[in-house]
Amino acid sequence: ACGLNETMTYSLVSPDDLEKARISEEGRGEAVELINPMNSEQSVLRRSIIPGLLRSVAYNESRGVQNVQLFERGIVFSAAEGRKNPKERNLVAGVMTGSFVLPGWNQQATPIDFYDAKGVIENLVRELCIPKVQFKALEADEAPWLAPGRAASILSGGRVLGWVGEMHPLSTQAFEVEGTVAAFELDMNQLLGVATDQRPYVDVP
């Protein structure tokens, strides 16, 4: 409803995906390696959806599509010593670049930025009736994959739901993406854990 198109990207990715995107491995466990991979570019299971979405942006841009707004709901995987099966987490992530509107005689194309992604999150948490949502600014060393001053973690009652921000230029350049990319990644279990079915009543003016 916010204007993003749903997509599906590969679960099999390159081992250096997180490093290329500058995404921290903290809290993401160890990579799950395939025993017989088809090639080195698809030899581990993904630990983040963002690198795959950045590839989709680059694919579209290389074919002349400059306005790209995508989201994906999917599973990420992690391994740990002593654990037989990989751990699975449900995430929802999105990337936005270009503009939401085409330029016309009565309007200009406004480039997408941090506040567009934040607006998508605000619409989402409102529809899920999630209470006490806060956006806490992230320092550069806390989220090196995001542009300084354009990054925030999303919380509800002290519970971290995910993050939102503009991707760092070095992250987008590594995936051959041009221009500013606003992105977010949220934990579905955390979202549903704080979602309610009761909307707060607002007095009639």
Side-chain angles (χ1 to χ4, degrees), residues 91-114:
L91 303 182
V92 56
V95 291
M96 295 171 281
T97 187
S99 174
F100 273 115
V101 297
L102 295 175
W105 68 269
N106 62 341
Q107 64 181 6
Q108 293 182 340
T110 305
I112 285 173
D113 61 12
F114 167 81

Side-chain angles (χ1 to χ4, degrees), residues 155-177:
L155 303 96
S156 173
R159 182 184 297 196
V160 179
L161 306 180
W163 56 264
V164 60
E166 291 181 15
M167 297 297 295
H168 196 285
L170 294 178
S171 298
T172 55
Q173 290 169 12
F175 287 86
E176 300 180 355
V177 173

Side-chain angles (χ1 to χ4, degrees), residues 26-37:
E26 184 179 352
R28 296 182 184 269
E30 299 176 12
V32 179
E33 300 180 8
L34 273 65
I35 297 176
N36 296 309

Side-chain angles (χ1 to χ4, degrees), residues 17-169:
D17 258 15
L18 291 184
E19 182 181 353
K20 281 177 63 178
R22 297 166 53 95
I23 295 177
S24 171
E25 296 188 19
E26 184 179 352
R28 296 182 184 269
E30 299 176 12
V32 179
E33 300 180 8
L34 273 65
I35 297 176
N36 296 309
M38 296 177 62
N39 56 65
S40 61
E41 296 297 315
Q42 296 179 319
S43 60
V44 301
L45 293 174
R46 66 183 178 184
R47 287 182 284 170
S48 171
I49 299 176
I50 295 296
L53 291 176
L54 290 176
R55 286 195 177 89
S56 295
V57 173
Y59 182 91
N60 278 275
E61 287 185 344
S62 67
R63 285 153 180 80
V65 182
Q66 300 301 317
N67 300 328
V68 184
Q69 297 92 34
L70 302 172
F71 81 96
E72 178 176 1
R73 294 178 299 164
I75 297 174
V76 297
F77 307 84
S78 62
E81 188 175 351
R83 185 190 297 150
K84 183 177 180 181
N85 296 320
K87 182 180 179 180
E88 300 181 7
R89 291 172 59 213
N90 283 293
L91 303 182
V92 56
V95 291
M96 295 171 281
T97 187
S99 174
F100 273 115
V101 297
L102 295 175
W105 68 269
N106 62 341
Q107 64 181 6
Q108 293 182 340
T110 305
I112 285 173
D113 61 12
F114 167 81
Y115 295 100
D116 291 292
K118 181 173 179 281
V120 170
I121 302 302
E122 288 171 336
N123 285 331
L124 176 62
V125 297
R126 184 178 66 249
E127 291 301 315
L128 293 176
C129 302
I130 296 177
K132 301 178 182 178
V133 175
Q134 294 178 309
F135 292 86
K136 180 183 177 182
L138 288 169
E139 299 297 330
D141 58 345
E142 294 179 293
W145 64 94
L146 298 175
R150 295 276 176 163
S153 60
I154 307 158
L155 303 96
S156 173
R159 182 184 297 196
V160 179
L161 306 180
W163 56 264
V164 60
E166 291 181 15
M167 297 297 295
H168 196 285

